[in-house]
PDB file of all heavy atoms in Angstrom:
ATOM      1  N   ILE R  19     111.956  83.842 116.281  1.00 96.00           N
ATOM      2  CA  ILE R  19     113.410  83.646 116.197  1.00 96.00           C
ATOM      3  C   ILE R  19     113.711  82.294 115.570  1.00 96.00           C
ATOM      4  O   ILE R  19     114.660  82.126 114.820  1.00 96.00           O
ATOM      5  CB  ILE R  19     114.000  83.747 117.614  1.00 96.00           C
ATOM      6  CG1 ILE R  19     113.877  85.180 118.141  1.00 96.00           C
ATOM      7  CG2 ILE R  19     115.500  83.345 117.592  1.00 96.00           C
ATOM      8  CD1 ILE R  19     114.348  85.367 119.577  1.00 96.00           C
ATOM      9  N   SER R  20     112.882  81.275 115.870  1.00 94.00           N
ATOM     10  CA  SER R  20     113.135  79.925 115.403  1.00 94.00           C
ATOM     11  C   SER R  20     113.127  79.882 113.884  1.00 94.00           C
ATOM     12  O   SER R  20     112.191  80.383 113.234  1.00 94.00           O
ATOM     13  CB  SER R  20     112.043  78.982 115.962  1.00 94.00           C
ATOM     14  OG  SER R  20     112.312  77.661 115.587  1.00 94.00           O
ATOM     15  N   ASP R  21     114.170  79.265 113.293  1.00 93.00           N
ATOM     16  CA  ASP R  21     114.325  79.071 111.843  1.00 93.00           C
ATOM     17  C   ASP R  21     114.489  80.357 111.068  1.00 93.00           C
ATOM     18  O   ASP R  21     114.606  80.349 109.839  1.00 93.00           O
ATOM     19  CB  ASP R  21     113.118  78.283 111.253  1.00 93.00           C
ATOM     20  CG  ASP R  21     112.961  76.908 111.879  1.00 93.00           C
ATOM     21  OD1 ASP R  21     114.010  76.263 112.184  1.00 93.00           O
ATOM     22  OD2 ASP R  21     111.811  76.489 112.102  1.00 93.00           O
ATOM     23  N   VAL R  22     114.474  81.493 111.759  1.00 95.00           N
ATOM     24  CA  VAL R  22     114.623  82.781 111.091  1.00 95.00           C
ATOM     25  C   VAL R  22     115.900  83.484 111.506  1.00 95.00           C
ATOM     26  O   VAL R  22     116.677  84.021 110.700  1.00 95.00           O
ATOM     27  CB  VAL R  22     113.420  83.715 111.396  1.00 95.00           C
ATOM     28  CG1 VAL R  22     113.628  85.095 110.757  1.00 95.00           C
ATOM     29  CG2 VAL R  22     112.121  83.072 110.927  1.00 95.00           C
ATOM     30  N   GLY R  23     116.161  83.473 112.804  1.00 96.00           N
ATOM     31  CA  GLY R  23     117.336  84.138 113.329  1.00 96.00           C
ATOM     32  C   GLY R  23     117.122  85.622 113.501  1.00 96.00           C
ATOM     33  O   GLY R  23     116.015  86.160 113.309  1.00 96.00           O
ATOM     34  N   VAL R  24     118.178  86.315 113.833  1.00 97.00           N
ATOM     35  CA  VAL R  24     118.152  87.763 114.011  1.00 97.00           C
ATOM     36  C   VAL R  24     119.041  88.394 112.954  1.00 97.00           C
ATOM     37  O   VAL R  24     120.223  88.047 112.849  1.00 97.00           O
ATOM     38  CB  VAL R  24     118.657  88.179 115.435  1.00 97.00           C
ATOM     39  CG1 VAL R  24     118.619  89.672 115.585  1.00 97.00           C
ATOM     40  CG2 VAL R  24     117.799  87.496 116.500  1.00 97.00           C
ATOM     41  N   ARG R  25     118.474  89.256 112.165  1.00 96.00           N
ATOM     42  CA  ARG R  25     119.215  89.890 111.078  1.00 96.00           C
ATOM     43  C   ARG R  25     119.948  91.107 111.648  1.00 96.00           C
ATOM     44  O   ARG R  25     119.392  91.895 112.374  1.00 96.00           O
ATOM     45  CB  ARG R  25     118.255  90.302 109.960  1.00 96.00           C
ATOM     46  CG  ARG R  25     118.976  90.754 108.701  1.00 96.00           C
ATOM     47  CD  ARG R  25     117.979  91.082 107.577  1.00 96.00           C
ATOM     48  NE  ARG R  25     118.647  91.482 106.401  1.00 96.00           N
ATOM     49  CZ  ARG R  25     119.092  90.625 105.446  1.00 96.00           C
ATOM     50  NH1 ARG R  25     118.901  89.353 105.631  1.00 96.00           N
ATOM     51  NH2 ARG R  25     119.695  91.062 104.366  1.00 96.00           N
ATOM     52  N   ALA R  26     121.205  91.255 111.259  1.00 96.00           N
ATOM     53  CA  ALA R  26     122.020  92.365 111.730  1.00 96.00           C
ATOM     54  C   ALA R  26     121.611  93.655 111.045  1.00 96.00           C
ATOM     55  O   ALA R  26     121.125  93.674 109.915  1.00 96.00           O
ATOM     56  CB  ALA R  26     123.488  92.085 111.482  1.00 96.00           C
ATOM     57  N   ASP R  27     121.852  94.768 111.738  1.00 95.00           N
ATOM     58  CA  ASP R  27     121.612  96.102 111.116  1.00 95.00           C
ATOM     59  C   ASP R  27     122.642  96.343 110.032  1.00 95.00           C
ATOM     60  O   ASP R  27     122.371  97.007 109.037  1.00 95.00           O
ATOM     61  CB  ASP R  27     121.723  97.199 112.197  1.00 95.00           C
ATOM     62  CG  ASP R  27     120.640  97.086 113.240  1.00 95.00           C
ATOM     63  OD1 ASP R  27     119.440  96.957 112.849  1.00 95.00           O
ATOM     64  OD2 ASP R  27     120.948  97.071 114.453  1.00 95.00           O
ATOM     65  N   GLU R  28     123.850  95.852 110.243  1.00 94.00           N
ATOM     66  CA  GLU R  28     124.906  95.941 109.236  1.00 94.00           C
ATOM     67  C   GLU R  28     125.485  94.538 109.027  1.00 94.00           C
ATOM     68  O   GLU R  28     126.076  93.947 109.908  1.00 94.00           O
ATOM     69  CB  GLU R  28     126.025  96.885 109.650  1.00 94.00           C
ATOM     70  CG  GLU R  28     127.116  97.018 108.604  1.00 94.00           C
ATOM     71  CD  GLU R  28     128.212  97.996 109.039  1.00 94.00           C
ATOM     72  OE1 GLU R  28     128.012  98.752 109.997  1.00 94.00           O
ATOM     73  OE2 GLU R  28     129.283  98.004 108.392  1.00 94.00           O
ATOM     74  N   GLU R  29     125.292  93.985 107.778  1.00 93.00           N
ATOM     75  CA  GLU R  29     125.741  92.661 107.515  1.00 93.00           C
ATOM     76  C   GLU R  29     127.270  92.673 107.249  1.00 93.00           C
ATOM     77  O   GLU R  29     127.794  93.472 106.473  1.00 93.00           O
ATOM     78  CB  GLU R  29     125.059  92.097 106.257  1.00 93.00           C
ATOM     79  CG  GLU R  29     123.553  91.853 106.477  1.00 93.00           C
ATOM     80  CD  GLU R  29     123.288  90.567 107.211  1.00 93.00           C
ATOM     81  OE1 GLU R  29     124.219  89.730 107.288  1.00 93.00           O
ATOM     82  OE2 GLU R  29     122.180  90.389 107.717  1.00 93.00           O
ATOM     83  N   VAL R  30     127.981  91.796 107.948  1.00 90.00           N
ATOM     84  CA  VAL R  30     129.438  91.638 107.778  1.00 90.00           C
ATOM     85  C   VAL R  30     129.722  90.172 107.676  1.00 90.00           C
ATOM     86  O   VAL R  30     129.406  89.405 108.593  1.00 90.00           O
ATOM     87  CB  VAL R  30     130.213  92.261 108.938  1.00 90.00           C
ATOM     88  CG1 VAL R  30     131.717  92.018 108.741  1.00 90.00           C
ATOM     89  CG2 VAL R  30     129.945  93.735 109.055  1.00 90.00           C
ATOM     90  N   GLU R  31     130.295  89.726 106.572  1.00 81.00           N
ATOM     91  CA  GLU R  31     130.635  88.305 106.411  1.00 81.00           C
ATOM     92  C   GLU R  31     131.948  88.044 107.176  1.00 81.00           C
ATOM     93  O   GLU R  31     132.964  88.612 106.880  1.00 81.00           O
ATOM     94  CB  GLU R  31     130.800  87.965 104.939  1.00 81.00           C
ATOM     95  CG  GLU R  31     131.065  86.471 104.713  1.00 81.00           C
ATOM     96  CD  GLU R  31     131.125  86.127 103.238  1.00 81.00           C
ATOM     97  OE1 GLU R  31     130.776  86.974 102.410  1.00 81.00           O
ATOM     98  OE2 GLU R  31     131.520  84.963 102.941  1.00 81.00           O
ATOM     99  N   MET R  32     131.836  87.145 108.149  1.00 75.00           N
ATOM    100  CA  MET R  32     133.006  86.831 108.988  1.00 75.00           C
ATOM    101  C   MET R  32     133.919  85.850 108.257  1.00 75.00           C
ATOM    102  O   MET R  32     133.477  84.918 107.606  1.00 75.00           O
ATOM    103  CB  MET R  32     132.533  86.202 110.296  1.00 75.00           C
ATOM    104  CG  MET R  32     131.523  87.051 111.057  1.00 75.00           C
ATOM    105  SD  MET R  32     132.186  88.619 111.600  1.00 75.00           S
ATOM    106  CE  MET R  32     130.719  89.350 112.350  1.00 75.00           C
ATOM    107  N   GLU R  33     135.230  86.094 108.376  1.00 60.00           N
ATOM    108  CA  GLU R  33     136.167  85.181 107.763  1.00 60.00           C
ATOM    109  C   GLU R  33     136.168  83.835 108.475  1.00 60.00           C
ATOM    110  O   GLU R  33     136.265  82.778 107.902  1.00 60.00           O
ATOM    111  CB  GLU R  33     137.602  85.788 107.810  1.00 60.00           C
ATOM    112  CG  GLU R  33     137.787  86.913 106.831  1.00 60.00           C
ATOM    113  CD  GLU R  33     139.233  87.340 106.770  1.00 60.00           C
ATOM    114  OE1 GLU R  33     139.966  87.154 107.764  1.00 60.00           O
ATOM    115  OE2 GLU R  33     139.643  87.910 105.730  1.00 60.00           O
ATOM    116  N   THR R  34     136.099  83.890 109.816  1.00 48.00           N
ATOM    117  CA  THR R  34     136.003  82.678 110.613  1.00 48.00           C
ATOM    118  C   THR R  34     134.922  82.882 111.642  1.00 48.00           C
ATOM    119  O   THR R  34     134.615  84.001 112.074  1.00 48.00           O
ATOM    120  CB  THR R  34     137.330  82.380 111.352  1.00 48.00           C
ATOM    121  OG1 THR R  34     137.696  83.507 112.148  1.00 48.00           O
ATOM    122  CG2 THR R  34     138.442  82.103 110.334  1.00 48.00           C
ATOM    123  N   GLN R  35     134.306  81.779 112.056  1.00 41.00           N
ATOM    124  CA  GLN R  35     133.263  81.837 113.077  1.00 41.00           C
ATOM    125  C   GLN R  35     133.771  81.164 114.337  1.00 41.00           C
ATOM    126  O   GLN R  35     134.608  80.272 114.304  1.00 41.00           O
ATOM    127  CB  GLN R  35     132.002  81.101 112.583  1.00 41.00           C
ATOM    128  CG  GLN R  35     131.313  81.882 111.433  1.00 41.00           C
ATOM    129  CD  GLN R  35     130.068  81.168 111.003  1.00 41.00           C
ATOM    130  OE1 GLN R  35     129.880  80.004 111.255  1.00 41.00           O
ATOM    131  NE2 GLN R  35     129.195  81.893 110.318  1.00 41.00           N
ATOM    132  N   ASN R  36     133.227  81.632 115.449  1.00 40.00           N
ATOM    133  CA  ASN R  36     133.573  81.035 116.736  1.00 40.00           C
ATOM    134  C   ASN R  36     135.077  81.073 117.007  1.00 40.00           C
ATOM    135  O   ASN R  36     135.633  80.129 117.554  1.00 40.00           O
ATOM    136  CB  ASN R  36     133.048  79.605 116.816  1.00 40.00           C
ATOM    137  CG  ASN R  36     132.968  79.098 118.238  1.00 40.00           C
ATOM    138  OD1 ASN R  36     132.900  79.857 119.177  1.00 40.00           O
ATOM    139  ND2 ASN R  36     133.007  77.788 118.398  1.00 40.00           N
ATOM    140  N   THR R  37     135.716  82.151 116.588  1.00 43.00           N
ATOM    141  CA  THR R  37     137.147  82.274 116.809  1.00 43.00           C
ATOM    142  C   THR R  37     137.407  82.973 118.146  1.00 43.00           C
ATOM    143  O   THR R  37     136.899  84.019 118.409  1.00 43.00           O
ATOM    144  CB  THR R  37     137.806  83.109 115.694  1.00 43.00           C
ATOM    145  OG1 THR R  37     137.592  82.427 114.456  1.00 43.00           O
ATOM    146  CG2 THR R  37     139.273  83.253 115.904  1.00 43.00           C
ATOM    147  N   LEU R  38     138.237  82.352 118.985  1.00 42.00           N
ATOM    148  CA  LEU R  38     138.557  82.935 120.270  1.00 42.00           C
ATOM    149  C   LEU R  38     139.506  84.105 120.072  1.00 42.00           C
ATOM    150  O   LEU R  38     140.594  83.927 119.566  1.00 42.00           O
ATOM    151  CB  LEU R  38     139.199  81.868 121.180  1.00 42.00           C
ATOM    152  CG  LEU R  38     139.564  82.327 122.584  1.00 42.00           C
ATOM    153  CD1 LEU R  38     138.317  82.719 123.371  1.00 42.00           C
ATOM    154  CD2 LEU R  38     140.319  81.228 123.282  1.00 42.00           C
ATOM    155  N   LEU R  39     139.104  85.268 120.435  1.00 46.00           N
ATOM    156  CA  LEU R  39     139.920  86.441 120.244  1.00 46.00           C
ATOM    157  C   LEU R  39     141.008  86.534 121.323  1.00 46.00           C
ATOM    158  O   LEU R  39     140.761  86.308 122.488  1.00 46.00           O
ATOM    159  CB  LEU R  39     139.049  87.701 120.313  1.00 46.00           C
ATOM    160  CG  LEU R  39     138.045  87.861 119.189  1.00 46.00           C
ATOM    161  CD1 LEU R  39     137.229  89.107 119.426  1.00 46.00           C
ATOM    162  CD2 LEU R  39     138.702  87.913 117.860  1.00 46.00           C
ATOM    163  N   LYS R  40     142.171  86.856 120.899  1.00 46.00           N
ATOM    164  CA  LYS R  40     143.253  87.154 121.817  1.00 46.00           C
ATOM    165  C   LYS R  40     143.384  88.668 121.937  1.00 46.00           C
ATOM    166  O   LYS R  40     143.084  89.405 121.003  1.00 46.00           O
ATOM    167  CB  LYS R  40     144.591  86.567 121.294  1.00 46.00           C
ATOM    168  CG  LYS R  40     144.505  85.049 121.085  1.00 46.00           C
ATOM    169  CD  LYS R  40     144.250  84.310 122.400  1.00 46.00           C
ATOM    170  CE  LYS R  40     144.285  82.807 122.185  1.00 46.00           C
ATOM    171  NZ  LYS R  40     143.957  82.055 123.401  1.00 46.00           N
ATOM    172  N   PRO R  41     143.853  89.159 123.078  1.00 43.00           N
ATOM    173  CA  PRO R  41     143.947  90.607 123.230  1.00 43.00           C
ATOM    174  C   PRO R  41     144.691  91.322 122.135  1.00 43.00           C
ATOM    175  O   PRO R  41     144.320  92.409 121.687  1.00 43.00           O
ATOM    176  CB  PRO R  41     144.672  90.760 124.587  1.00 43.00           C
ATOM    177  CG  PRO R  41     144.309  89.529 125.311  1.00 43.00           C
ATOM    178  CD  PRO R  41     144.238  88.458 124.271  1.00 43.00           C
ATOM    179  N   GLU R  42     145.767  90.681 121.602  1.00 42.00           N
ATOM    180  CA  GLU R  42     146.559  91.334 120.550  1.00 42.00           C
ATOM    181  C   GLU R  42     145.802  91.412 119.221  1.00 42.00           C
ATOM    182  O   GLU R  42     146.195  92.134 118.323  1.00 42.00           O
ATOM    183  CB  GLU R  42     147.886  90.596 120.343  1.00 42.00           C
ATOM    184  CG  GLU R  42     147.731  89.136 119.880  1.00 42.00           C
ATOM    185  CD  GLU R  42     147.685  88.172 121.073  1.00 42.00           C
ATOM    186  OE1 GLU R  42     147.433  88.628 122.187  1.00 42.00           O
ATOM    187  OE2 GLU R  42     147.901  86.975 120.850  1.00 42.00           O
ATOM    188  N   MET R  43     144.681  90.651 119.084  1.00 46.00           N
ATOM    189  CA  MET R  43     143.934  90.681 117.853  1.00 46.00           C
ATOM    190  C   MET R  43     142.868  91.770 117.847  1.00 46.00           C
ATOM    191  O   MET R  43     142.342  92.126 116.819  1.00 46.00           O
ATOM    192  CB  MET R  43     143.218  89.324 117.612  1.00 46.00           C
ATOM    193  CG  MET R  43     144.173  88.189 117.304  1.00 46.00           C
ATOM    194  SD  MET R  43     143.231  86.649 117.145  1.00 46.00           S
ATOM    195  CE  MET R  43     142.087  87.024 115.808  1.00 46.00           C
ATOM    196  N   LEU R  44     142.537  92.252 119.011  1.00 49.00           N
ATOM    197  CA  LEU R  44     141.389  93.170 119.130  1.00 49.00           C
ATOM    198  C   LEU R  44     141.575  94.435 118.264  1.00 49.00           C
ATOM    199  O   LEU R  44     142.558  95.175 118.429  1.00 49.00           O
ATOM    200  CB  LEU R  44     141.152  93.573 120.588  1.00 49.00           C
ATOM    201  CG  LEU R  44     140.738  92.432 121.500  1.00 49.00           C
ATOM    202  CD1 LEU R  44     140.583  92.912 122.924  1.00 49.00           C
ATOM    203  CD2 LEU R  44     139.493  91.783 121.000  1.00 49.00           C
ATOM    204  N   GLY R  45     140.652  94.637 117.335  1.00 44.00           N
ATOM    205  CA  GLY R  45     140.685  95.844 116.547  1.00 44.00           C
ATOM    206  C   GLY R  45     141.630  95.784 115.389  1.00 44.00           C
ATOM    207  O   GLY R  45     141.667  96.694 114.562  1.00 44.00           O
ATOM    208  N   GLY R  46     142.407  94.700 115.248  1.00 52.00           N
ATOM    209  CA  GLY R  46     143.381  94.644 114.181  1.00 52.00           C
ATOM    210  C   GLY R  46     142.937  93.722 113.037  1.00 52.00           C
ATOM    211  O   GLY R  46     142.354  94.147 112.052  1.00 52.00           O
ATOM    212  N   GLU R  47     143.186  92.425 113.184  1.00 67.00           N
ATOM    213  CA  GLU R  47     142.921  91.468 112.117  1.00 67.00           C
ATOM    214  C   GLU R  47     141.452  91.039 112.028  1.00 67.00           C
ATOM    215  O   GLU R  47     141.031  90.445 111.049  1.00 67.00           O
ATOM    216  CB  GLU R  47     143.801  90.224 112.291  1.00 67.00           C
ATOM    217  CG  GLU R  47     145.288  90.571 112.378  1.00 67.00           C
ATOM    218  CD  GLU R  47     146.103  89.341 112.773  1.00 67.00           C
ATOM    219  OE1 GLU R  47     145.548  88.215 112.800  1.00 67.00           O
ATOM    220  OE2 GLU R  47     147.299  89.512 113.074  1.00 67.00           O
ATOM    221  N   ASP R  48     140.670  91.299 113.054  1.00 84.00           N
ATOM    222  CA  ASP R  48     139.300  90.846 113.078  1.00 84.00           C
ATOM    223  C   ASP R  48     138.382  91.824 112.367  1.00 84.00           C
ATOM    224  O   ASP R  48     138.172  92.947 112.834  1.00 84.00           O
ATOM    225  CB  ASP R  48     138.888  90.710 114.588  1.00 84.00           C
ATOM    226  CG  ASP R  48     137.546  90.043 114.737  1.00 84.00           C
ATOM    227  OD1 ASP R  48     136.551  90.544 114.173  1.00 84.00           O
ATOM    228  OD2 ASP R  48     137.469  88.993 115.413  1.00 84.00           O
ATOM    229  N   ILE R  49     137.835  91.376 111.237  1.00 87.00           N
ATOM    230  CA  ILE R  49     136.995  92.274 110.418  1.00 87.00           C
ATOM    231  C   ILE R  49     135.769  92.706 111.140  1.00 87.00           C
ATOM    232  O   ILE R  49     135.403  93.906 111.160  1.00 87.00           O
ATOM    233  CB  ILE R  49     136.606  91.573 109.093  1.00 87.00           C
ATOM    234  CG1 ILE R  49     137.861  91.298 108.247  1.00 87.00           C
ATOM    235  CG2 ILE R  49     135.617  92.409 108.325  1.00 87.00           C
ATOM    236  CD1 ILE R  49     137.611  90.490 107.015  1.00 87.00           C
ATOM    237  N   GLY R  50     135.043  91.740 111.766  1.00 90.00           N
ATOM    238  CA  GLY R  50     133.817  92.084 112.482  1.00 90.00           C
ATOM    239  C   GLY R  50     134.057  93.085 113.586  1.00 90.00           C
ATOM    240  O   GLY R  50     133.305  94.059 113.735  1.00 90.00           O
ATOM    241  N   LEU R  51     135.076  92.858 114.371  1.00 91.00           N
ATOM    242  CA  LEU R  51     135.370  93.759 115.497  1.00 91.00           C
ATOM    243  C   LEU R  51     135.836  95.118 114.985  1.00 91.00           C
ATOM    244  O   LEU R  51     135.466  96.119 115.587  1.00 91.00           O
ATOM    245  CB  LEU R  51     136.422  93.121 116.430  1.00 91.00           C
ATOM    246  CG  LEU R  51     136.732  93.931 117.686  1.00 91.00           C
ATOM    247  CD1 LEU R  51     135.478  94.176 118.504  1.00 91.00           C
ATOM    248  CD2 LEU R  51     137.762  93.206 118.521  1.00 91.00           C
ATOM    249  N   SER R  52     136.584  95.145 113.919  1.00 91.00           N
ATOM    250  CA  SER R  52     137.007  96.411 113.366  1.00 91.00           C
ATOM    251  C   SER R  52     135.798  97.241 112.941  1.00 91.00           C
ATOM    252  O   SER R  52     135.734  98.461 113.143  1.00 91.00           O
ATOM    253  CB  SER R  52     137.944  96.184 112.151  1.00 91.00           C
ATOM    254  OG  SER R  52     139.142  95.560 112.538  1.00 91.00           O
ATOM    255  N   LYS R  53     134.793  96.546 112.324  1.00 92.00           N
ATOM    256  CA  LYS R  53     133.547  97.237 111.948  1.00 92.00           C
ATOM    257  C   LYS R  53     132.801  97.745 113.167  1.00 92.00           C
ATOM    258  O   LYS R  53     132.259  98.863 113.185  1.00 92.00           O
ATOM    259  CB  LYS R  53     132.665  96.285 111.175  1.00 92.00           C
ATOM    260  CG  LYS R  53     133.152  95.929 109.763  1.00 92.00           C
ATOM    261  CD  LYS R  53     132.654  96.942 108.781  1.00 92.00           C
ATOM    262  CE  LYS R  53     132.941  96.441 107.353  1.00 92.00           C
ATOM    263  NZ  LYS R  53     132.456  97.393 106.347  1.00 92.00           N
ATOM    264  N   ALA R  54     132.803  96.941 114.249  1.00 94.00           N
ATOM    265  CA  ALA R  54     132.108  97.327 115.463  1.00 94.00           C
ATOM    266  C   ALA R  54     132.777  98.530 116.085  1.00 94.00           C
ATOM    267  O   ALA R  54     132.101  99.458 116.597  1.00 94.00           O
ATOM    268  CB  ALA R  54     132.062  96.161 116.461  1.00 94.00           C
ATOM    269  N   ILE R  55     134.083  98.587 116.076  1.00 95.00           N
ATOM    270  CA  ILE R  55     134.803  99.740 116.675  1.00 95.00           C
ATOM    271  C   ILE R  55     134.538 100.972 115.859  1.00 95.00           C
ATOM    272  O   ILE R  55     134.273 102.056 116.455  1.00 95.00           O
ATOM    273  CB  ILE R  55     136.308  99.444 116.722  1.00 95.00           C
ATOM    274  CG1 ILE R  55     136.602  98.305 117.744  1.00 95.00           C
ATOM    275  CG2 ILE R  55     137.102 100.690 117.095  1.00 95.00           C
ATOM    276  CD1 ILE R  55     138.019  97.831 117.763  1.00 95.00           C
ATOM    277  N   ARG R  56     134.500 100.857 114.537  1.00 94.00           N
ATOM    278  CA  ARG R  56     134.165 102.026 113.723  1.00 94.00           C
ATOM    279  C   ARG R  56     132.748 102.520 113.977  1.00 94.00           C
ATOM    280  O   ARG R  56     132.486 103.714 114.018  1.00 94.00           O
ATOM    281  CB  ARG R  56     134.353 101.683 112.227  1.00 94.00           C
ATOM    282  CG  ARG R  56     135.798 101.629 111.793  1.00 94.00           C
ATOM    283  CD  ARG R  56     135.943 101.757 110.288  1.00 94.00           C
ATOM    284  NE  ARG R  56     135.428 100.569 109.591  1.00 94.00           N
ATOM    285  CZ  ARG R  56     136.184  99.523 109.345  1.00 94.00           C
ATOM    286  NH1 ARG R  56     137.480  99.464 109.686  1.00 94.00           N
ATOM    287  NH2 ARG R  56     135.686  98.466 108.679  1.00 94.00           N
ATOM    288  N   SER R  57     131.825 101.576 114.140  1.00 95.00           N
ATOM    289  CA  SER R  57     130.454 101.968 114.476  1.00 95.00           C
ATOM    290  C   SER R  57     130.356 102.649 115.812  1.00 95.00           C
ATOM    291  O   SER R  57     129.639 103.632 115.978  1.00 95.00           O
ATOM    292  CB  SER R  57     129.549 100.711 114.481  1.00 95.00           C
ATOM    293  OG  SER R  57     129.451 100.170 113.183  1.00 95.00           O
ATOM    294  N   ALA R  58     131.105 102.157 116.818  1.00 96.00           N
ATOM    295  CA  ALA R  58     131.114 102.811 118.121  1.00 96.00           C
ATOM    296  C   ALA R  58     131.657 104.210 118.024  1.00 96.00           C
ATOM    297  O   ALA R  58     131.149 105.144 118.658  1.00 96.00           O
ATOM    298  CB  ALA R  58     131.968 101.950 119.097  1.00 96.00           C
ATOM    299  N   ARG R  59     132.727 104.385 117.243  1.00 96.00           N
ATOM    300  CA  ARG R  59     133.305 105.721 117.052  1.00 96.00           C
ATOM    301  C   ARG R  59     132.294 106.631 116.403  1.00 96.00           C
ATOM    302  O   ARG R  59     132.212 107.831 116.771  1.00 96.00           O
ATOM    303  CB  ARG R  59     134.574 105.626 116.234  1.00 96.00           C
ATOM    304  CG  ARG R  59     135.750 104.996 116.970  1.00 96.00           C
ATOM    305  CD  ARG R  59     136.882 104.674 116.025  1.00 96.00           C
ATOM    306  NE  ARG R  59     138.038 104.096 116.747  1.00 96.00           N
ATOM    307  CZ  ARG R  59     139.005 103.411 116.150  1.00 96.00           C
ATOM    308  NH1 ARG R  59     138.991 103.251 114.833  1.00 96.00           N
ATOM    309  NH2 ARG R  59     139.982 102.926 116.875  1.00 96.00           N
TER     310      ARG R  59
END
């Protein structure tokens, strides 16, 4: 893991990192979460 990290199964470039999500943002403006919801579906 050191100096290599964990590679995602599906790469998604985040617009912002370490952004605190508010309930009203869930599934809407957040690209990563929107992708995750589609994957779950």
Side-chain angles (χ1 to χ4, degrees):
I19 294 174
S20 185
D21 300 323
V22 177
V24 179
R25 190 177 182 87
D27 296 311
E28 181 179 346
E29 293 280 344
V30 178
E31 185 176 349
M32 306 295 177
E33 287 187 336
T34 57
Q35 292 181 341
N36 197 23
T37 299
L38 182 64
L39 295 177
K40 302 298 184 183
E42 61 270 17
M43 291 176 59
L44 295 179
E47 303 171 12
D48 188 302
I49 295 174
L51 184 56
S52 296
K53 289 272 190 180
I55 292 173
R56 284 199 290 271
S57 294
R59 289 169 179 162

